[in-house]
Amino acid sequence: MDEERFEELSEGQRAVIESITATLEALDAEADLSPLTQVDTLREAWEAADMADKRMLLKCALGKQGIAVKPAARQGDHTPILERLEFDWLSKKGTTTEK
């Protein structure tokens, strides 16, 4: 590749990066996340959502591990399943310290 072609492709890449950066900045400025801090509003939205919407909302809030079920302590373990669930919440990322 000659220098002229390299500069032409580089300039195209710079233009794309600048365009995307400007778009992201505009989206960031327009984003109003204040309703997410209102617990009652979130609860009402969750209760009004159908199953598909609830699954989508969970996917947005969970990390790669999603929801995992811890194994039973022993055969015949009567621990309720809800107590054995582990959630990989995105909001917990960065708040835990490595030991």
Side-chain angles (χ1 to χ4, degrees):
M1 176 183 311
D2 63 1
E3 188 174 336
E4 185 178 318
R5 179 70 175 144
F6 177 81
E7 287 299 323
E8 179 183 331
L9 293 174
S10 294
E11 184 58 37
Q13 289 292 323
R14 280 191 286 279
V16 169
I17 290 170
E18 289 172 6
S19 172
I20 291 173
T21 302
T23 302
L24 288 174
E25 288 172 353
L27 287 174
D28 188 38
E30 294 173 10
D32 179 19
L33 301 178
S34 61
L36 298 179
T37 62
Q38 300 169 359
V39 176
D40 293 332
T41 305
L42 287 173
R43 183 175 292 116
E44 289 172 12
W46 177 261
E47 291 171 357
D50 63 5
M51 189 59 65
D53 288 340
K54 287 180 178 180
R55 287 181 180 149
M56 182 269 309
L57 291 169
L58 280 173
K59 284 182 184 179
C60 292
L62 291 170
K64 289 183 181 180
Q65 301 299 319
I67 302 171
V69 180
K70 293 187 273 186
R74 63 188 181 295
Q75 188 173 5
D77 185 8
H78 292 287
T79 304
I81 192 71
L82 293 177
E83 292 178 19
R84 293 177 35 211
L85 295 177
E86 288 183 345
F87 297 88
D88 180 25
W89 297 114
L90 289 175
S91 63
K92 299 293 182 186
K93 302 289 187 211
T95 59
T96 59
T97 55
E98 300 277 330
K99 292 183 181 180

